[in-house]
Amino acid sequence: MQQSSFPIGAWVYRDLNQVTKETIDEWRECGLTLTFSPDFKLSRNHDKKKMLEIMDYCYESGIKLIICDDRSHWRGAAKDPEGYRKAFQEAYNDFGKHKATWGFHVGDEPFMQHVDDVVMAYKIQLEVAPELVPFVNYLPLWEPSIDEIADAIFPNIEMKNMCYDYYAQMVKGNSPDGYFTQLRRFKEHADK
């Protein structure tokens, strides 16, 4: 597998049972090289063997994955760090050493009430799997602002990447100015 120097990804939240080889062929045809795995949830009795088959096919197709495993989500990590560590270790043992794995999804768009959980989950993921990239997607708008979230989270963890989503520029009549304003703010935080 050859990985491009500039990964191309997309938000492809899909249940494990919805993803087939044909789905992955579509991802490859779109030029994706780094994207979300299907959602893997033990609570839904998802089949580990099927997940590994999908991961094998992604690897053969030149696609690295951010593993979306319910056991890696930040939920409750600060209140029960050892419980989170145990759950994440199991997820890592199942999927973390696969050649298609780029990292694990920590969670999406944290608010201030999630800060402690995000920080703890990120730290534990770095301890258990230092070769991988914990992935959190931040929210540029609404309350709190990225500045508040950044000040609460970024000094407390060694960030390996930064990601955020901003869709307002796609709404008819909206100016793209907000997109570039938020992009500049994220760059400033990345520079810190």
Side-chain angles (χ1 to χ4, degrees):
M1 177 184 104
Q2 184 174 349
Q3 178 72 23
S4 69
S5 60
F6 186 85
I8 304 295
W11 299 105
V12 289
Y13 292 124
R14 302 287 286 281
D15 184 85
L16 177 64
N17 297 320
Q18 296 175 323
V19 176
T20 63
K21 286 186 175 184
E22 290 76 21
T23 308
I24 297 163
D25 289 340
E26 289 175 6
W27 296 352
R28 185 181 60 235
E29 288 170 19
C30 289
L32 301 185
T33 60
L34 172 66
T35 196
F36 286 127
S37 76
D39 283 333
F40 181 84
K41 295 183 178 181
L42 290 176
S43 63
R44 290 191 187 158
N45 296 318
H46 281 165
D47 182 6
K48 179 182 162 186
K49 182 180 175 196
K50 178 173 182 176
M51 180 71 159
L52 289 169
E53 288 171 358
I54 287 170
M55 293 174 72
D56 289 343
Y57 195 66
C58 283
Y59 178 74
E60 292 166 16
S61 301
I63 299 172
K64 294 286 255 181
L65 295 170
I66 300 164
I67 304 300
C68 296
D69 185 314
D70 203 38
R71 297 170 290 180
S72 68
H73 191 277
W74 71 56
R75 242 179 341 273
K79 287 184 182 175
D80 184 11
E82 288 314 307
Y84 180 86
R85 181 183 309 279
K86 181 177 184 274
F88 179 70
Q89 183 70 58
E90 291 171 1
Y92 177 75
N93 292 344
D94 287 344
F95 307 122
K97 296 177 185 166
H98 194 283
K99 292 179 181 180
T101 301
W102 182 77
F104 280 83
H105 192 211
V106 178
D108 191 35
E109 299 179 350
F111 289 97
M112 287 305 285
Q113 67 264 28
H114 304 128
V115 165
D116 293 340
D117 285 335
V118 171
V119 169
M120 183 59 66
Y122 201 102
K123 284 181 176 181
I124 290 171
Q125 285 199 23
L126 283 176
E127 290 169 14
V128 172
E131 76 281 12
L132 299 179
V133 180
F135 184 84
V136 180
N137 178 56
Y138 297 97
L139 183 65
L141 298 175
W142 305 341
E143 293 299 324
S145 71
I146 181 54
D147 300 314
E148 293 172 272
I149 290 285
D151 290 344
I153 293 177
F154 298 171
N156 295 303
I157 54 179
E158 182 183 326
M159 296 292 295
K160 286 191 170 188
N161 73 324
M162 289 179 67
C163 177
Y164 76 101
D165 52 33
Y166 186 93
Y167 304 112
Q169 80 280 6
M170 297 168 55
V171 176
K172 186 176 181 176
N174 277 1
S175 164
D177 293 350
Y179 175 84
F180 291 105
T181 298
Q182 297 301 326
L183 185 61
R184 186 184 73 246
R185 288 170 71 197
F186 264 80
K187 183 205 177 295
E188 290 167 358
H189 286 290
D191 287 344
K192 286 181 193 177

